[in-house]
Amino acid sequence: MLDSNTIEIVQSTAPVLQQHSEQIGKKFYELLFAKAPDLYNLFNQTNQKRGLQQEALGYAVYAAGEHISNLDAIMPVITRVTQKHRAIGVRPEQYPLVGETLLEAVKEVLGSAATDGIIGAWGKAYEYIADAFIQIEHDLYKEAKEQTGGWEGFRSFAVTRKVAESDDVTSFYLEPADKQALAGFEAGQYLTIKAQIPGEQYTHIRHYSLSDAPGKSYYRISVKRERSNEGKPAGIVSNDLHDRIQEGDSILFSAPAGDFTLDHTDDHLVLIGGGIGVTPLLSMINTVADQFPDRKVTFVQAASNGNNHPFREHLSELENGRPNVRCFTAYSSPTEQDLGSGSFSHKGYIDAEWLRSILPSGQAVYYFCGPIPFMKTINKALKKLGIPKERIHLEVFSPVAMLDEE
């Protein structure tokens, strides 16, 4: 346990580190990759270019410092990070280098303000936090390996089917190349791909939500082609999957991971998805349909238009075949064909007023997922509608640890 003086120094200086988090994050990764360029194989370089990884680091350092005397207060953040660490293969021996580099970055950014006392206190705090992470990750590695059909590291999977779901979304059906047992998973979890792309110096790691219910003879992921847009680079991995990977090809994945998982209560289930954020929610509604057919579900999906509305037919079949399932769709930019067919529920973006008109009046549990702007909008809307925080669950497709709490 840390001594009281260390705790006091860390908590009092955490806001200073937060204030300079962007510079510290940038300097940290600059130093880290110079020392260990092989770590390029672990980190999402697109997120590096967009500054998201740096932002996530800054938030994590601040949150850990603020709650250093009670890490249980940020356990949701710790759980999410350790799940991803296990999925990408972070090892205990890498923690000392990260800690050393983080302190160097703090000293370079803060200069003389980073006194020996402050650096010493944060060094002790880092070791304390690292030990907690290492123990949790040890248990996660053991669980992933020892479960029925489980494995360690990355395992080869054959693409048995490749199905276009919309203009930009394609599903990949995956079966173990070794023909051995397939590990189970919880609806809402993800697979982590190690993509080995021709012409790329390093491997690329990405997380893709499982988009079907567990208990099948296959895994399924559904991937959106990320096109270049307004200075944002095209997705290296998503485009490689869409263009190069064909049925019969093999891909490497680590065992299923993630903490955004479906509860198994009887409460009315409300699922709200934006864009490709619909994928873990699809796994959830399919699981309910397979295992809990009497549970009520309201499924709300946001898309730009009918051309970019994946799984429309599947969800329509679920709704028509099950009286306890209701599906609603909001199109932000419906086509003329959409307007003529009336195949959507709401024109425009999802807002609190429209949600109020379609959500159940009784007790329900809420899950939502999508791009960051969408997530912030839904988070605010549910708060406006008076939904208790403990009944709200979310997944952010980004290394940013939390949504703004305005």
Side-chain angles (χ1 to χ4, degrees), residues 39 42 85-86 88-100 126-127 129-141 152:
L39 290 179
L42 287 184
H85 281 183
R86 197 281 295 163
I88 68 176
V90 171
R91 308 306 304 189
E93 57 269 22
Q94 293 169 324
Y95 274 91
L97 175 63
V98 170
E100 167 194 305
Y126 176 83
E127 290 181 7
I129 296 165
D131 287 344
F133 274 53
I134 289 169
Q135 183 56 57
I136 294 171
E137 288 160 18
H138 172 270
D139 294 341
L140 291 175
Y141 279 112
E152 183 175 16

Side-chain angles (χ1 to χ4, degrees), residues 294-361:
D294 294 329
R295 188 175 184 183
K296 294 182 178 179
V297 183
T298 296
F299 196 97
V300 185
Q301 185 174 2
S304 57
N305 53 54
N307 296 329
N308 296 301
H309 184 176
F311 311 107
R312 176 170 52 185
E313 291 78 12
H314 173 72
L315 291 166
S316 179
E317 289 175 7
L318 279 180
E319 183 177 30
N320 292 334
R322 298 176 183 274
N324 58 316
V325 173
R326 300 185 310 147
C327 295
F328 300 91
T329 306
Y331 284 173
S332 58
S333 303
T335 64
E336 289 298 322
Q337 182 177 351
D338 295 329
L339 293 170
S341 67
S343 58
F344 59 100
S345 315
H346 176 71
K347 181 181 178 181
Y349 296 103
I350 296 175
D351 55 33
E353 288 65 32
W354 182 59
L355 284 177
R356 191 192 307 275
S357 70
I358 63 172
L359 293 181
S361 56

Side-chain angles (χ1 to χ4, degrees), residues 242-279:
H242 277 253
D243 296 334
R244 185 178 65 85
I245 298 298
Q246 303 299 324
E247 293 179 359
D249 290 341
S250 294
I251 314 175
L252 296 174
F253 290 96
S254 64
D259 63 322
F260 181 65
T261 55
L262 177 67
D263 72 15
H264 296 299
T265 67
D266 293 327
D267 291 344
H268 193 131
L269 179 64
V270 178
L271 306 173
I272 308 174
I276 199 59
V278 72
T279 49

